[in-house]
Amino acid sequence: MFTRESKLRFFKHFYQLFFNSHPEIKTLFEHTDFEKQTTLLKHALSMAIMFAEDDNDLAKSVLTQIRKSHSRTKLNIKPKYYALWLNCLMHTFWVCDPQFNQALEKNWRTLLQISIDYIREGY
Ligand code: HEM
């Protein structure tokens, strides 16, 4: 069972790792409200899983919004950053969830890659 505190710890750990993964990444989040961002990312992760698993209209529309906001003309998130994002997320699972294992990592990677490919194609 995940408490609110453990979820916050998870996302704090994730962003710390992600910021240190590339010098440009920290600057991209210079003006970000992290409480808000954490809620948005939590929601987006569920949507990304639903998007990959079934034909869900809500998930598709959320992913389409993210695809637009992360494109060249908006946030300009370079395609190469998504591999870092995914690696940092997986690393965070290993650190924060004692029950995480290789089979789970494989499933997460496979599912999230589908959403990542969709977002990146909109760059
Ligand atoms: C599948 C991967 C990702 C998902 C699901 C995701 C999701 C989101 C969501 C839901 C938001 C807030 C709403 C919006 O602006 O659309 C957001 C904002 C943002 N994302 Fe992502 N993101 C992903 C990957 C990345 C990557 C790789 C970067 C690279 C640095 C990034 C950088 C940002 C930035 C800079 C913001 C704006 C933060 C602010 O409001 O100041 N994202 N992302």
Side-chain angles (χ1 to χ4, degrees):
M1 182 73 176
F2 289 101
T3 60
R4 187 173 177 273
E5 285 69 31
S6 69
K7 282 185 202 157
L8 284 177
R9 224 179 7 254
F10 180 94
F11 285 102
K12 200 170 162 206
H13 192 93
F14 165 69
Y15 278 115
Q16 251 159 24
L17 272 182
F18 192 40
F19 287 168
N20 291 323
S21 68
H22 193 288
E24 270 170 39
I25 291 185
K26 201 171 175 148
T27 35
L28 281 166
F29 287 97
E30 232 162 36
H31 306 291
T32 302
D33 168 347
F34 274 96
E35 214 161 309
K36 202 170 129 210
Q37 183 67 17
T38 297
T39 310
L40 289 169
L41 183 58
K42 254 192 306 194
H43 175 66
L45 281 180
S46 339
M47 291 298 146
I49 297 298
M50 276 161 76
F51 176 80
E53 278 189 324
D54 43 50
D55 196 14
N56 180 296
D57 285 346
L58 174 64
K60 176 133 201 213
S61 91
V62 170
L63 265 292
T64 303
Q65 283 306 315
I66 297 173
R67 174 176 156 130
K68 286 184 191 148
S69 71
H70 288 56
S71 69
R72 193 187 307 260
T73 52
K74 302 262 174 71
L75 289 166
N76 190 21
I77 304 304
K78 295 188 185 131
K80 65 178 183 190
Y81 293 150
Y82 291 89
L84 295 174
W85 183 93
L86 189 54
N87 287 340
C88 292
L89 192 70
M90 293 304 108
H91 193 108
T92 309
F93 273 120
W94 280 108
V95 173
C96 295
D97 180 1
Q99 296 183 21
F100 201 61
N101 58 45
Q102 284 187 347
L104 283 173
E105 173 165 0
K106 192 163 174 271
N107 282 346
W108 271 102
R109 281 188 180 274
T110 305
L111 288 177
L112 288 177
Q113 196 58 50
I114 295 172
S115 296
I116 287 175
D117 290 345
Y118 181 67
I119 298 170
R120 280 187 358 184
E121 278 159 19
Y123 183 68

